[in-house]
Amino acid sequence: MRFFDYRDGALYAEDVPLADIAEAVGTPVYVYSRATLEHHYRVFKAAMGDLPVHICYAVKANTNRAVIATLAALGAGADTVSEGEIRRALHAGVPPEGIVFAGVGKTDQELAYAISVGVRQINIESASELNRIAKLAEQMGKVQHVCIRVNPDVGAGGHAKITTGKADNKFGVSFELAEELYGLADGLPGVEPVGLSVHIGSQIIDFAPMEKAYQKLADCVLRLRARGLKVTRLDLGGGLAATYDETVKGPDLAAYGAMVQRVVGHLDVELEFEPGRMIAANAGVLVSRAIVTKDNGGKSFLVVDAAMNDLIRPALYEAYHQMLPVKKADDHDNLAPLDVVGPVCETGDTFAEQRPMPAIAAGELLAFMSTGAYGFAMASTYNSRPLAAEVMVSGDQWQVVRPRQTYEEMFGMETLPDWLGNKT
Ligand SMILES: *Cc1c(COP(=O)(O)O)cnc(C)c1O
């Protein structure tokens, strides 16, 4: 579901023509739809029915504070993987008791910060981490709630680089070690173990691997309880797919909710979820302008002013993004194969190869759809290209939520070493 549609041949974000935004702000520009963000949060929550759930939006998918704040206003917490993300979440109005801190390599500084602000929970990924958290918390006179992140040894997700739940991935610990750490944590003064967490991958449509993982989690809860240990929370992670290709059916949330109910609903635990992509992907588009068309080696190329530094998913994961002309041509349905590329000096800077597309002339606008997640969040200034502007739309209103980076902001902080003289 997304609130980006054609009206009289013009592509709109909710009630705002994308061309108006591009005209005012320039391109490339990310445009987010508040209604889409809210819709996805609400349908996810609704799919969980009466289960006691705490939904932590996975901030890394789209870290703009306007996005986090939009979701926080609906009651969402935040799933964070760095001190920076915790700070952003707090800044955006997520209370500390709504923030989960996860990640495979948390530094002492990050852990101390998380404990000091009183985050809801830290998900532990190793024995050393447990001991460091316990020590830091004890020094601060605090008791930190922790979950042990289990690696359930099931594969899931659309691409090897986004699979996180296999035994030979870097994430989590085995059930055996998790149970040992749980008992250990129970005996340490600085921490209180409250549950288990799992996150097996991303872009998941088939729930079978998730069900397998959740079942293993449920069995583990019973084993822990049999030892007299208290388990009050299960963090079931994120990873549900977003629909990138409108001809492919997305995950059935009602079926997901029913599966969760069936597998862990009887355990009398609070359930946490960490959806990122599923909430944000279709809530954003990247609007670019065509710079030039050219033919090379028998192929037609369209070079646009967005590049892999703005949107790296196609280069990194061979990801598919639908591309729509912002102004529908009269012969919109007359398609010809086109390579759509950015200006960066890498052949990998390719958004699509031989994609059947309507004709697009230089100067016209092209929207990359479903780029609200892992779009701007993964952007860089490679080739000294400024970070794109970000805009949020709500109904017929829109506002810049992050202006385009200036060149001064891009390299003004760099200094020359003394031996090159004091020229600035
Ligand atoms: C990345 C991540 C998520 C979010 O994944 P999505 O595929 O965007 O839903 C959730 N939890 C953890 C621990 C993650 O690392």
Side-chain angles (χ1 to χ4, degrees):
M1 178 75 191
R2 64 190 189 198
F3 293 81
F4 296 92
D5 282 308
Y6 283 112
R7 291 186 198 170
D8 296 329
L11 193 57
Y12 275 64
E14 301 189 22
D15 300 326
V16 181
L18 284 174
D20 286 5
I21 295 172
E23 210 50 59
V25 180
T27 52
V29 55
Y30 276 97
V31 180
Y32 307 131
S33 152
R34 174 189 175 188
T36 313
L37 287 168
E38 293 183 342
H39 172 77
H40 285 146
Y41 178 83
R42 291 198 175 109
V43 294
F44 191 96
K45 190 144 180 22
M48 292 305 147
D50 298 333
L51 288 167
V53 296
H54 177 67
I55 300 173
C56 292
Y57 164 61
V59 164
K60 73 170 187 275
N62 186 324
T63 32
N64 191 292
R65 282 194 292 137
V67 171
I68 304 171
T70 297
L71 295 164
L74 301 183
D79 172 60
T80 60
V81 293
S82 69
E83 179 175 338
E85 286 191 356
I86 299 172
R87 287 179 182 271
R88 269 179 191 274
L90 290 171
H91 244 278
V94 183
E97 57 276 14
I99 297 177
V100 170
F101 185 27
V104 71
K106 313 178 194 76
T107 65
D108 280 356
Q109 182 189 319
E110 289 179 308
L111 290 171
Y113 177 75
I115 296 164
S116 74
V117 300
V119 297
R120 168 189 184 83
Q121 159 190 326
I122 300 180
N123 291 347
I124 287 177
E125 302 221 14
S126 67
S128 132
E129 190 174 80
L130 169 60
N131 287 315
R132 289 188 290 135
I133 293 170
K135 208 169 108 203
L136 288 164
E138 198 183 351
Q139 281 166 4
M140 288 184 237
K142 300 216 177 203
V143 177
Q144 178 62 53
H145 285 173
V146 297
C147 278
I148 315 287
R149 176 166 177 183
V150 178
N151 183 321
D153 195 17
V154 294
H159 192 281
K161 283 183 189 159
I162 53 175
T163 293
T164 56
K166 290 292 288 174
D168 60 354
N169 290 142
K170 67 183 173 183
F171 300 98
V173 298
S174 67
F175 277 102
E176 201 184 345
L177 182 56
E179 285 170 46
E180 190 187 319
L181 293 182
Y182 209 98
L184 221 96
D186 192 53
L188 292 171
V191 292
E192 184 184 335
V194 291
L196 302 168
S197 85
V198 73
H199 173 73
I200 60 173
S202 200
Q203 199 49 14
I204 298 169
I205 293 187
D206 171 14
F207 301 140
M210 282 181 143
E211 177 160 359
K212 215 190 267 175
Y214 296 174
Q215 187 58 57
K216 288 185 178 186
L217 223 52
D219 296 344
C220 187
V221 169
L222 299 183
R223 288 196 299 274
L224 290 168
R225 283 182 175 162
R227 285 165 53 198
L229 295 162
K230 256 176 43 187
V231 184
T232 57
R233 273 183 211 169
L234 281 184
D235 178 344
L236 298 181
L240 287 191
T243 317
Y244 286 96
D245 181 346
E246 286 191 312
T247 62
V248 177
K249 207 170 165 302
D252 177 348
L253 284 180
Y256 179 63
M259 182 272 278
V260 167
Q261 170 78 52
R262 183 171 71 248
V263 179
V264 297
H266 59 287
L267 289 173
D268 188 27
V269 287
E270 189 181 10
L271 298 175
E272 294 169 338
F273 294 92
E274 305 167 345
R277 186 191 306 275
M278 179 261 156
I279 299 227
N282 278 301
V285 300
L286 172 62
V287 181
S288 69
R289 202 178 281 281
I291 302 174
V292 68
T293 57
K294 63 186 280 186
D295 289 332
N296 250 11
K299 288 203 298 185
S300 297
F301 288 87
L302 177 73
V303 188
V304 297
D305 69 358
M308 63 190 287
N309 72 296
D310 303 299
L311 175 66
I312 201 173
R313 297 190 67 256
L316 192 59
Y317 312 119
E318 286 137 40
Y320 169 92
H321 286 281
Q322 191 183 23
M323 299 177 297
L324 295 178
V326 169
K327 186 173 178 297
K328 242 185 193 172
D330 292 339
D331 55 351
H332 183 78
D333 297 323
N334 185 10
L335 308 180
L338 186 64
D339 278 27
V340 178
V341 301
V344 160
C345 304
E346 304 231 6
T347 301
D349 188 18
T350 296
F351 292 114
E353 281 179 87
Q354 296 295 289
R355 175 89 57 91
M357 292 281 293
I360 296 165
E364 290 185 337
L365 296 168
L366 185 66
F368 293 86
M369 309 306 289
S370 315
T371 49
Y374 307 105
F376 185 91
M378 294 177 97
S380 75
T381 59
Y382 186 43
N383 276 214
S384 288
R385 295 168 45 85
L387 294 173
E390 293 176 284
V391 162
M392 187 173 285
V393 171
S394 173
D396 61 2
Q397 301 177 59
W398 65 273
Q399 207 170 314
V400 173
V401 292
R402 182 183 163 113
R404 186 176 315 284
Q405 189 181 36
T406 65
Y407 290 107
E408 176 60 23
E409 285 162 349
M410 189 199 296
F411 53 72
M413 286 168 70
E414 295 163 16
T415 53
L416 294 181
D418 293 344
W419 60 83
L420 290 177
N422 281 325
K423 288 172 285 184
T424 49

